Amino acid sequence: MPHPIVLLHGWACSAAYWKPLADRLSASGRHVVAADLPGYGSDLRAGYDWTVENVAATLAEQSDEGPVHWVGHSLGGSIAATIAARFPRTTASLTLVGMVPVAPSPATVEKLARLFGGESSDPEADLAAGEELIGAWFRGGNEPQGEDRETFLAPFKRCPAVVRQSLPAGVTGAAPDVAELVSAPTLVVTGSRDATRPPAAVAEFLSRHPAWRHASVPDAGHMVHWEQPAACAEAILRHIESAENADARAAWPDGSRAGPPA
């Protein structure tokens, strides 16, 4: 039985924005779960500490189907990488979308602090901030409209307190040791127009992790999985199949078979 694919959304987003990609992954016959991060789909329990490490532990504890293929976008990528590093038995493979586990660019951090640095929220200001972020995420191209735009604005309306509560995790990302501890096969998928982590920063990081694969998708920004879902699905499925084939070969010491007996 193929391992499930679990999709972890980014900061100030919702699981709904995975749909274009999830539909294509599901069409391959895979079981796909688009999970809500704590507070984004249901109320947070009292006193919940919204950190990358804590959320990673929460999700790892809930992963009771054996190893899964973790796919995380942006903040979700920091969480997915932390799960792979701290809870390797839960991880069949790792895919990071729109990010590598380094801090976002200074311009991104400055923008987020300006828009969401206060502790209290104002509905109109939050909605205006959400509109500004959509422009940054898509870099002026392929911005969603109508109902699709509402998908991206929904968290700013539905859970503004959680958006603010999870912002520090989005800015700080994964702990410095996480990337070194990831042993699962890892793929990075980025859009060529993404400025959240500029191409030079991505290239520098990947030069220090030559075993990690990279797929750069043309004509896409930070929301590469929404803008170019077919290209993302193709890269992710190829990566997952490679990881599973490697697992199967490892089960046969002589390397004579790529899978279990017929």
Side-chain angles (χ1 to χ4, degrees):
M1 180 71 69
H3 301 304
I5 301 172
V6 179
L7 309 173
L8 303 181
H9 65 79
W11 173 78
C13 296
S14 75
Y17 82 160
W18 284 117
K19 188 176 188 308
L21 175 64
D23 286 349
R24 286 165 172 79
L25 296 175
S26 296
S28 72
R30 295 276 176 172
H31 176 50
V32 180
V33 178
D36 286 307
L37 298 183
Y40 281 88
S42 59
D43 293 338
L44 283 175
R45 66 174 183 262
Y48 188 83
D49 186 16
W50 220 112
T51 65
V52 168
E53 295 282 346
N54 203 31
V55 173
T58 297
L59 295 176
E61 290 170 4
Q62 295 172 353
S63 180
D64 56 2
E65 300 182 54
V68 304
H69 297 287
W70 297 104
V71 178
H73 172 248
S74 200
L75 170 57
S78 294
I79 294 166
T82 301
I83 295 172
R86 310 286 190 227
F87 307 94
R89 291 187 179 182
T90 72
T91 308
S93 76
L94 173 66
T95 299
L96 307 178
V97 181
M99 64 90 69
V100 289
V102 299
S105 69
T108 297
V109 174
E110 186 280 328
K111 181 187 290 290
L112 294 176
R114 172 173 57 82
L115 295 175
F116 297 97
E119 294 184 3
S120 60
S121 61
D122 175 290
E124 291 187 7
D126 284 352
L127 196 56
E131 292 280 4
E132 184 173 340
L133 281 180
I134 288 175
W137 285 338
F138 288 87
R139 297 280 287 169
N142 303 322
E143 286 190 23
Q145 303 298 329
E147 291 184 6
D148 288 341
R149 198 174 189 86
E150 287 301 308
T151 295
F152 286 90
L153 291 174
F156 301 100
K157 300 177 181 179
R158 188 175 62 240
C159 52
V162 174
V163 167
R164 276 181 162 72
Q165 190 174 351
S166 55
L167 176 58
V171 171
T172 57
D177 67 329
V178 159
E180 310 306 323
L181 294 175
V182 172
S183 58
T186 301
L187 169 69
V188 173
V189 181
T190 56
S192 62
R193 292 187 283 103
D194 193 348
T196 303
R197 289 170 178 82
V202 174
E204 193 281 329
F205 175 88
L206 291 173
S207 72
R208 293 184 279 109
H209 296 82
W212 291 23
R213 300 176 178 179
H214 181 216
S216 178
V217 180
D219 301 320
H222 191 51
M223 297 296 175
V224 55
H225 60 287
W226 176 279
E227 298 177 79
Q228 301 289 349
C232 287
E234 180 182 1
I236 292 169
L237 289 171
R238 189 164 56 242
H239 172 62
I240 285 172
E241 289 165 4
S242 174
E244 291 182 345
N245 287 338
D247 281 346
R249 287 193 297 271
W252 294 84
D254 63 0
S256 61
R257 300 184 64 94

